[in-house]
Structure formats: C-alpha cells, structure tokens
Amino acid sequence: MATIENARDPVNELYDRGCELVEAATAMRRAAAAADVARAAPAVLSCFETALDEMVDTSAALERVTHQAVSERGIDTDAEWHERHARMRSGFSHLHRSLRDARDLAAAARTRTSRALTGAGLTRARTPG
C-alpha cells in the first residue's frame, strides 16, 4: 500500500494513463501496417472491445466527478451555468453511447474477421471446450 509520501497526484495519474493510451494506440497503428499480422486481427479487435468497455466506465466516472465538481462550484441560479452544465452532461451522454456502439462494432468485426480468416485458411476454427 502506498504511503502518503509515495502516493501520486490522481490528476497526474489519470493524465499519464491517458497519454499511455495514446502511445499504445500509436504503436498498434504502426504494428498493424506490417504485412503478416492479419491473423492477429481477431485478438486485437477483442482488445479493442475490452478497452472500449473500460472507456465506457471511465467516461461515466469522469462524468460523475466532473458533475460533482461543477455542481459544488457553480451558481445554480445562473441560467448560463445551467446551460453549460446541461451541454456538458449531453456531451458525456453522447460519448457513452458512442463508446458502447464502438465496443459492439468491435465485437461484430472480431467475429466476422475471425470467420473470414478461417474461411481463407489463415486460421483454424476454434473447437468448443
């Protein structure tokens, strides 16, 4: 367990993890350009699916803490404040929906890609069990 002296600032921790996400995505893009990686596509798409599912939960957590911070500091009698707050919530709502859709599309792409690779003889069909 980290002591207070060793504990990282949660703001920096979150930002650093976001930067790592971008770095990983960039490295994956580069690796995906190699000629002989098609067989990895279903597994990578499965990783997309899982990562996007985590991003749904992450965006929900960000919405909760941002809503709380804005609500604590905002002047709720100000119409402009209400409008900005409503737009923020709407933006998060659209983000959640889009991430869930992307997750579901990654799952569908994984299934279809796996079947296509198997049909082309590039991978073997999985046996149940």
Side-chain angles (χ1 to χ4, degrees):
M1 188 164 144
T3 63
I4 297 297
E5 297 82 50
N6 294 335
R8 290 203 58 203
D9 171 32
V11 171
N12 288 330
E13 179 72 16
L14 181 60
Y15 178 73
D16 287 349
R17 297 295 175 223
C19 290
E20 290 170 3
L21 177 66
V22 173
E23 289 172 8
T26 301
M28 289 176 70
R29 178 183 45 81
R30 289 182 186 133
D36 194 29
V37 298
R39 290 177 295 138
V44 173
L45 290 167
S46 181
C47 292
F48 282 15
E49 182 182 354
T50 302
L52 286 161
D53 198 43
E54 288 295 327
M55 297 308 295
V56 169
D57 293 344
T58 301
S59 66
L62 284 172
E63 179 183 15
R64 279 191 303 277
V65 299
T66 304
H67 168 72
Q68 182 178 359
V70 168
S71 295
E72 288 173 357
R73 300 283 300 215
I75 303 168
D76 64 1
T77 58
D78 180 7
E80 186 177 326
W81 178 89
H82 279 289
E83 179 62 27
R84 281 193 311 266
H85 191 249
R87 277 191 253 158
M88 178 195 79
R89 299 293 301 263
S90 175
F92 272 113
S93 178
H94 290 293
L95 175 61
H96 303 325
R97 188 174 322 112
S98 296
L99 288 169
R100 284 190 301 268
D101 288 348
R103 177 201 57 207
D104 296 345
L105 290 168
R110 174 183 43 80
T111 300
R112 292 172 181 172
T113 301
S114 181
R115 288 179 184 154
L117 289 168
T118 300
L122 295 168
T123 59
R124 294 185 315 186
R126 288 183 158 189
T127 55

